[in-house]
Amino acid sequence: MADWQEITGGITAPRGYRAAGITAGLKPSGLPDLALIFSDVEAIAAGVFTTSQVKAACVDYCRQHLQAKHHTQAILCNAGQANAATGSQGWFDALESAMTVAQALNISSESVLLASTGVIGQRIRMEQLKAGIPKLVAALSETGSDAAAAAIITTDLVTKSIALETTIGDRPVRIGGIAKGSGMIHPNMATMLAFVTCDAAVSPALWQQMLSRAADRSFNSITVDGDTSTNDSLIALANGQSRTPAIIEMGPEAEKLEAMLTAVCQHLARAIARDGEGATCLIEVQVTGANDELSARQIAKTIAGSSLVKSAIFGRDPNWGRIAAAAGRAGVPFEQENLQIKLGDFLLLENGQPLPFDRAAASEYLKAAAKGAYLKEDTVLISVSVGNGHGIGKAWGCDLSYDYVKINAEYTT
């Protein structure tokens, strides 16, 4: 049983944080498009970012910031323009964005991190952003998480938010998070955009290690369409306002905190996969019996990302051959005679041999998982065993529908 409980409040649930989200005129739609997360005191900062060679200015900015300084106090995020592949002017826009919000908050620009999302190749609409900053700062609130979550989304159908609480040293410790993402989802080091706040006191090196491991077990284990973004950013703050003893090395308290951090990241990652563009259901792939966790995750992510598997799920076709084929090309050695595949409760393949099963009932299982069928029970579970090893891994994805092509065919038009 989890050693924490879910609470309300999102990124402002931990002590000492405020957030805001407004409409600044960055999006042509007129929807909210500028968000701010602020810690009342400087916080330890950690980040995981895209490994794409084509990176947004905000990614380069944050990397440089975190290499020089492990503390920050604010995160500014704009939606509408990705500010990626925008050359030197995009870099200057990022610097100006940081300086503008820093002046409004009366803090150093070195205490500001940045994130952007939107159309690649478009610079931020700086006139609108700068005009919106005073309104954004004025809107900061201890209940502003929902507004911030709404201001960072683009093609998302829903906002993504979570907050958990545990006890460390007889005092409550909280972690909250928000995220955005629906398309261009195949993270390599991070996710589209995710922001995490925590009120524990953690050493910078340990907090970064925790976040990197949590990312591998969450955002690096989801896929929607196989495309890694230019703007992928996962940023986590820890401001120590819970007044618990500082955690400086791995031990029971650090393990407890990391487990809760991972749970927050996995919740947000699943929410992104569930909200995949055009998707009707979430796919969860569980792999056991591999030699190690990394190998198990690699097989799971290959299955979850297979266009043939995703298409079969959308068509409610229990075609286990596509699952077997994806597992076989994952680049992880295993003996074919050890392969077992289950779809929900339906055992389809065992010891490398196909089994008779009720195809109509299995198809009904897939139909029942269609989005909205049973509230949140919209998950298709694929269980695969490849041997007797101790490696266990999970990955999440979604089905591939006609609407995915329609959404992306008309993205900039």
Side-chain angles (χ1 to χ4, degrees), residues 237-261:
L237 308 182
N239 68 4
Q241 292 301 288
S242 63
R243 306 302 182 189
T244 51
I247 300 173
I248 59 175
E249 59 184 7
M250 288 307 296
E253 292 182 343
E255 291 173 359
K256 192 175 187 179
L257 187 67
E258 182 175 337
M260 190 165 70
L261 174 63

Side-chain angles (χ1 to χ4, degrees), residues 382-402:
I382 297 173
S383 304
V384 175
S385 177
V386 295
N388 300 312
H390 298 294
I392 298 174
K394 293 182 180 180
W396 297 271
C398 60
D399 57 343
L400 182 61
S401 74
Y402 313 126

Side-chain angles (χ1 to χ4, degrees), residues 320 340-341 346-359:
W320 60 262
Q340 180 191 84
I341 297 175
F346 296 92
L347 183 60
L348 312 179
L349 182 80
E350 188 169 31
N351 297 324
Q353 298 292 320
L355 299 176
F357 68 97
D358 189 333
R359 183 171 293 273

Side-chain angles (χ1 to χ4, degrees), residues 125-382:
R125 295 181 177 178
M126 291 302 296
E127 183 178 346
Q128 289 86 344
L129 181 142
K130 291 168 66 176
I133 291 296
K135 177 183 175 183
L136 183 66
V137 171
L140 283 171
S141 166
E142 293 179 354
T143 58
S145 180
D146 289 346
I152 66 174
I153 64 176
T154 49
T155 59
D156 307 52
L157 296 179
V158 296
T159 57
K160 291 93 176 171
S161 177
I162 184 68
L164 301 178
E165 180 182 87
T166 192
T167 301
I168 293 178
D170 296 325
R171 293 184 64 86
V173 170
R174 298 172 178 175
I175 298 180
I178 61 173
K180 66 83 55 183
S182 185
M184 197 177 281
I185 309 295
H186 191 76
N188 188 6
M189 285 298 289
T191 186
M192 290 35 61
L193 292 181
F195 309 115
V196 175
T197 57
C198 176
D199 53 18
V202 192
S203 69
L206 186 58
W207 188 232
Q208 180 64 59
Q209 293 166 13
M210 287 181 176
L211 187 67
S212 296
R213 287 192 292 263
D216 281 340
R217 292 166 177 160
S218 58
F219 299 119
N220 276 350
S221 295
I222 61 172
T223 181
V224 168
D225 49 19
D227 277 302
T228 296
S229 171
T230 56
N231 291 54
D232 290 346
S233 300
L234 166 61
I235 300 172
L237 308 182
N239 68 4
Q241 292 301 288
S242 63
R243 306 302 182 189
T244 51
I247 300 173
I248 59 175
E249 59 184 7
M250 288 307 296
E253 292 182 343
E255 291 173 359
K256 192 175 187 179
L257 187 67
E258 182 175 337
M260 190 165 70
L261 174 63
T262 301
V264 165
C265 291
Q266 287 184 341
H267 174 94
L268 295 173
R270 288 194 301 268
I272 289 171
R274 181 179 279 114
D275 193 29
E277 289 173 343
T280 68
C281 64
L282 175 71
I283 300 172
E284 178 174 316
V285 183
Q286 300 179 355
V287 174
T288 60
N291 289 335
D292 50 50
E293 180 184 349
L294 184 62
S295 298
R297 282 207 313 267
Q298 178 62 30
I299 296 171
K301 193 170 180 180
T302 302
I303 295 170
S306 164
S307 295
L308 291 178
V309 172
K310 291 155 63 69
S311 298
I313 299 300
F314 175 68
R316 319 310 174 203
D317 178 12
N319 186 346
W320 60 262
R322 292 181 172 181
I323 300 171
R329 67 173 174 81
V332 177
F334 64 85
E335 297 299 327
Q336 182 172 326
E337 57 266 27
N338 293 330
L339 184 61
Q340 180 191 84
I341 297 175
K342 291 180 66 177
L343 181 65
D345 292 330
F346 296 92
L347 183 60
L348 312 179
L349 182 80
E350 188 169 31
N351 297 324
Q353 298 292 320
L355 299 176
F357 68 97
D358 189 333
R359 183 171 293 273
S363 181
E364 286 299 319
Y365 166 72
L366 296 175
K367 291 177 183 178
K371 188 175 289 184
Y374 296 110
L375 298 178
K376 292 184 178 180
E377 296 301 319
D378 60 353
T379 303
V380 170
L381 177 60
I382 297 173

Side-chain angles (χ1 to χ4, degrees), residues 36-77:
L36 181 63
I37 303 167
F38 181 68
S39 174
D40 292 336
V41 300
E42 280 210 328
I44 298 298
V48 188
F49 303 95
T50 183
T51 57
S52 172
Q53 295 302 303
V54 180
K55 300 178 291 295
C58 57
V59 170
D60 287 332
Y61 173 89
C62 287
R63 278 186 172 145
Q64 289 187 19
H65 173 104
L66 292 175
Q67 285 174 358
K69 181 181 179 182
H70 299 296
H71 296 78
T72 197
Q73 204 163 348
I75 303 170
L76 177 69
C77 177

